[in-house]
Amino acid sequence: MDAGTKILVVGDVRGRFKQLFQRVEQVNKKAGPFEILCCVGDFFGEDKQNEELIAYKNGFKHITVPTYILGPNQREHEKYFENLTDGEICTNLTYLGRRGVYTLSSGVKIAYLSGLEAQGTADSAGSEHEFTKADVIAVRNSCLVSKNCSTEYRGVDVLLTSQWPFGMQEKENATASKLVSFLCREIKPRYHFCAINGTHYESAPFRMPKDETTQFELCTRFISLAEVGNAEKAKYIYALSLKPVDKSRLLDLAQKTTNEIPCPFIGLDLGGAIGKNDSSENRQYFYDMDGGRRKRQGGDNNKRDKRPRIPQIEQDKCWFCLSSPDVEKHLIITVGEHFYLALAKGPINKHHVMILSTKHVPCAAQLSPDDWKELNKFKAALRKFFKTLGQVVCFTERHYKSVHLQINALAFEEGYAWKIKHSFEDKAEEFNLEFETLPALDSEKMLPEMGPYFLAELPDDSTLITRQMKHFPIHFARDVFCSENLLNCDEKVNWKDCLLDKDEEVAYVEDFRKAFAPFDFTDD
C-alpha cells in the first residue's frame, strides 16, 4: 500500500483471540506497521472460548497492534465491558465506548457506534448493547462540529458499526438499521465497516447527496466483514492506507469512479425513526466564528437570523449590468453575447482589465454551460494577447460583498510567473486564510453553488480557492499583486487611490482595444 495511515479492520471475533492476534502479527510483519486494529461486530464469544484472552491479560502473550473494539451487541456480553478503567481490557486492547469520534495522531477520524438499534421509543435510554436516536445524533454532531468552520465538510475517514445500514441487501439482512443509514448519510464516511451477519460483502462505491454541510457529493465504500476463522474462509480482515480527509484535496475526495452505484439512502423512509428537522437535508447551519461551535438556526422566529445576507440590487441600478444606465460605457473594450471586457476602475496599470457578465449574474458558480463557454473564450484570448507581450495573466473572482460577477485579469512578466502562487500563500498566511489548490478551472461545477468564495486562476493552470470569507480583506487580490514580490506598489492596493480622469480612462481603453484587436473573437 502507498504511504498513509495504515489501518486494519476485522469482523466478528467471537472469542477467537489467539487466531486473530496471530493473523494480525503476520499481516503487520508483512505489510505494516499498522497504527491501529479496529474490531466490529461481536468481539467476545462463549465463556469457554473467551478464556483465550487470559494469557493476554496476564502478559504471557502480547498484542502487537493497538486494538480498539466496539461494545456489546447482546445483553449476555455486557458483563465483559463492566468496570473498565479508560476502556482498557488489557495492554493494547481497548473498548472505544458507546459512540463517538476517535482521531488518530495522523489526523484520521474514525466515527463509531456500538450495539444494535434499540426497539421501542426512539429517544429511550436503551440498554448497554443498544443505541438510540440520541446516540446517532450525538455522533453526527461530533463529526460536523469537528470540521473547519471556514471550509466545506469533507466527511470522516471511517465509520465503524456492528449493525448493517438499511438499504443494503435488507432482504438478506432483516436486522438492518435505519438509524445507521441516517448516520452514514449524514457524516459521509469514506469507508463504512460492519459485521454480525456472518458474510463478507463489498458494495460498489456510492456518492452521498450534497446538503447544507457541503456542496460536494462525497464517496462512500461499504464493507461487511465475515467472522474470524469462518469455515467458508470468507474475508474477515481488511487493510487500508488513508490520507486524512482534512489533509486531502477536495477534488480527490469528490473524484468519480467508473463503477459507482446510486446512493442506497436517498429518499429513505425512516419510518419516524428520525424527525424531519434532524436531517441536514432539511436544516440550515451557520457558524459562531468566535466560539467555533456549530449551532442550529431555526425554530424560534423571535431570534434574529445572524447569517450574513447576500446583498440584493435591482438590475437597472447595477453598475455592471450592460443594460443599466449607471454603467460607465467608456470603460468597455469589447462586448460578446454573454460577457464584456472593460478597463478596471482604478486600475493597477494600463493592462488591468475585467471580464463582466452582460446580464445580472452574481458569480461564476451560477453560469450556464453557454456562459461558461464564452467566458473561457475571453480568458483564452487574453492569455494569447499577453503572451505576445512576454507576459502571463492571473484571473481572480471575489464572490463576497459583491452583487455582480466580476473577474479581474492582471498580467505579469513571464519571469514572475513562479512568484505569483508564493505571493498568494504569503498573503494568506498574513491574513490567516486557508486555500484549497485545485487543477485548472474547467467547469462551473467545480465551484460551490451556494455561499461566498474567492478564487485565483494562476499561470501554472492551478486554481486557489477559499470559502473562509468572514472578515475577508476586500482588496486581497490587489494586496497580492501590489506586494513587494510582484509589482511592488503598495500605494495601489485600494482602487480608490488609483482613480483616473475620464480622458485618461478613454485613452487606456483605446490603446488596449487596438492592441487586443487581433485576438478579439467578438467580431467574428
Side-chain angles (χ1 to χ4, degrees):
M1 296 181 290
D2 54 3
T5 301
K6 293 185 176 182
I7 299 172
L8 286 172
V9 186
V10 300
D12 303 282
V13 180
R14 292 182 176 148
R16 298 184 182 90
F17 307 120
K18 181 179 178 181
Q19 183 174 354
L20 168 67
F21 293 128
Q22 284 180 345
R23 176 64 176 145
V24 168
E25 187 172 3
Q26 292 170 358
V27 174
N28 195 46
K29 287 180 180 179
K30 183 178 180 180
F34 288 88
E35 184 169 338
I36 188 175
L37 164 66
C38 300
C39 301
V40 294
D42 292 324
F43 186 73
F44 293 96
E46 299 298 328
D47 287 343
K48 186 170 182 61
Q49 184 69 52
N50 292 334
E51 291 177 0
E52 288 187 8
L53 196 60
I54 295 175
Y56 296 95
K57 287 184 174 181
N58 292 338
F60 294 117
K61 292 185 178 180
H62 302 283
I63 300 172
T64 55
V65 177
T67 302
Y68 293 81
I69 69 173
L70 295 182
N73 301 301
Q74 47 190 295
R75 192 178 302 277
E76 293 77 11
H77 289 175
E78 290 181 4
K79 60 185 178 182
Y80 301 120
F81 297 85
E82 295 175 350
N83 302 318
L84 298 178
T85 303
D86 295 327
E88 185 176 281
I89 298 171
C90 66
T91 302
N92 267 358
L93 180 60
T94 305
Y95 166 45
L96 274 170
R98 186 185 185 103
R99 38 80 172 163
V101 179
Y102 183 67
T103 304
L104 304 184
S105 58
S106 60
V108 168
K109 288 186 173 63
I110 301 174
Y112 59 91
L113 180 67
S114 296
L116 306 180
E117 181 176 341
Q119 302 302 309
T121 306
D123 292 314
S124 60
S127 303
E128 286 302 313
H129 68 284
E130 295 175 323
F131 62 82
T132 66
K133 168 187 169 181
D135 293 312
V136 169
I137 295 295
V139 177
R140 189 275 308 275
N141 291 346
S142 294
C143 293
L144 297 183
V145 166
S146 67
K147 94 176 193 71
N148 187 321
C149 63
S150 62
T151 60
E152 294 279 354
Y153 176 62
R154 296 164 175 253
V156 295
D157 295 287
V158 177
L159 170 61
L160 304 176
T161 66
S162 289
Q163 197 167 13
W164 275 48
F166 187 86
M168 281 288 184
Q169 294 189 321
E170 54 270 9
K171 290 182 180 179
E172 293 80 14
N173 187 17
T175 61
S177 166
K178 289 185 177 181
L179 285 177
V180 172
S181 304
F182 169 81
L183 179 61
C184 187
R185 188 182 70 189
E186 291 282 297
I187 70 173
K188 302 168 178 48
R190 293 166 72 185
Y191 290 88
H192 179 189
F193 291 95
C194 67
I196 72 172
N197 73 344
T199 61
H200 166 240
Y201 171 74
E202 295 186 38
S203 77
F206 51 88
R207 220 159 266 285
M208 297 297 180
K210 55 190 176 184
D211 52 33
E212 292 298 331
T213 66
T214 179
Q215 292 302 307
F216 292 90
E217 296 182 342
L218 302 176
C219 187
T220 294
R221 288 169 170 81
F222 173 78
I223 301 164
S224 172
L225 295 171
E227 182 179 347
V228 173
N230 65 88
E232 295 80 13
K233 296 186 177 180
K235 187 171 185 176
Y236 67 82
I237 188 167
Y238 196 98
L240 65 157
S241 179
L242 289 174
K243 182 179 181 180
V245 289
D246 289 343
K247 298 179 182 178
S248 301
R249 297 193 310 164
L250 270 172
L251 190 70
D252 292 336
L253 298 176
Q255 186 71 41
K256 295 198 174 184
T257 59
T258 57
N259 62 334
E260 291 182 5
I261 61 173
C263 177
F265 311 135
I266 293 180
L268 189 65
D269 179 11
L270 296 172
I274 292 289
K276 181 178 180 182
N277 291 329
D278 290 315
S279 173
S280 59
E281 290 182 337
N282 304 294
R283 185 183 60 253
Q284 296 285 338
Y285 279 100
F286 70 91
Y287 278 93
D288 175 358
M289 303 297 277
D290 297 323
R293 300 291 293 180
R294 186 164 214 165
K295 298 184 179 181
R296 180 173 166 184
Q297 174 66 38
D300 187 349
N301 293 329
N302 294 322
K303 292 182 179 179
R304 182 172 174 263
D305 187 348
K306 297 181 181 179
R307 285 174 291 170
R309 298 296 186 185
I310 298 175
Q312 302 294 325
I313 192 168
E314 294 179 21
Q315 185 168 336
D316 61 357
K317 296 181 180 179
C318 176
W319 289 357
F320 305 106
C321 286
L322 208 53
S323 60
S324 169
D326 294 325
V327 69
E328 297 190 59
K329 290 184 169 57
H330 69 280
L331 297 176
I332 297 174
I333 297 167
T334 185
V335 180
E337 183 178 355
H338 305 286
F339 291 89
Y340 66 97
L341 189 67
L343 178 72
K345 192 72 175 175
I348 294 176
N349 58 33
K350 287 186 175 183
H351 289 163
H352 183 185
V353 294
M354 301 176 72
I355 308 172
L356 303 110
S357 54
T358 55
K359 295 182 179 180
H360 198 67
V361 179
C363 62
Q366 297 183 25
L367 293 176
S368 70
D370 286 342
D371 292 337
W372 192 267
K373 185 176 180 180
E374 185 175 281
L375 174 59
N376 278 341
K377 290 179 73 173
F378 267 107
K379 290 178 181 177
L382 286 171
R383 288 188 181 104
K384 291 177 182 177
F385 166 63
F386 285 120
K387 188 174 183 180
T388 63
L389 304 178
Q391 297 178 331
V392 293
V393 63
C394 180
F395 300 101
T396 63
E397 181 196 358
R398 172 175 52 81
H399 178 40
Y400 172 68
K401 295 190 176 180
S402 171
V403 295
H404 191 107
L405 170 59
Q406 307 165 49
I407 297 176
N408 276 268
L410 192 67
F412 303 85
E413 297 301 319
E414 287 181 347
Y416 283 74
W418 67 274
K419 291 185 176 183
I420 298 176
K421 186 171 186 178
H422 293 296
S423 297
F424 270 103
E425 291 171 345
D426 289 345
K427 283 295 177 181
E429 184 176 354
E430 179 181 331
F431 289 107
N432 198 25
L433 299 172
E434 293 182 5
F435 277 85
E436 181 85 16
T437 302
L438 302 177
L441 194 63
D442 59 9
S443 169
E444 73 281 0
K445 295 179 180 178
M446 292 177 66
L447 299 174
E449 292 181 6
M450 298 175 62
Y453 62 83
F454 172 88
L455 68 83
E457 295 178 74
L458 307 183
D460 64 0
D461 290 332
S462 66
T463 304
L464 299 177
I465 185 169
T466 182
R467 296 194 67 188
Q468 190 178 342
M469 303 305 291
K470 185 166 184 178
H471 306 310
F472 185 84
I474 295 297
H475 301 300
F476 179 74
R478 294 180 70 118
D479 256 312
V480 173
F481 297 150
C482 298
S483 65
E484 184 178 357
N485 288 336
L486 293 177
L487 299 179
N488 194 23
C489 53
D490 287 344
E491 70 279 4
K492 294 186 176 183
V493 168
N494 191 327
W495 68 274
K496 292 180 181 179
D497 295 331
C498 303
L499 291 174
L500 305 174
D501 294 335
K502 186 173 181 179
D503 290 343
E504 290 180 282
E505 291 175 335
V506 170
Y508 276 24
V509 169
E510 290 178 351
D511 289 345
F512 194 99
R513 184 185 294 127
K514 182 178 180 180
F516 184 67
F519 307 92
D520 187 356
F521 62 89
T522 61
D523 294 329
D524 296 345

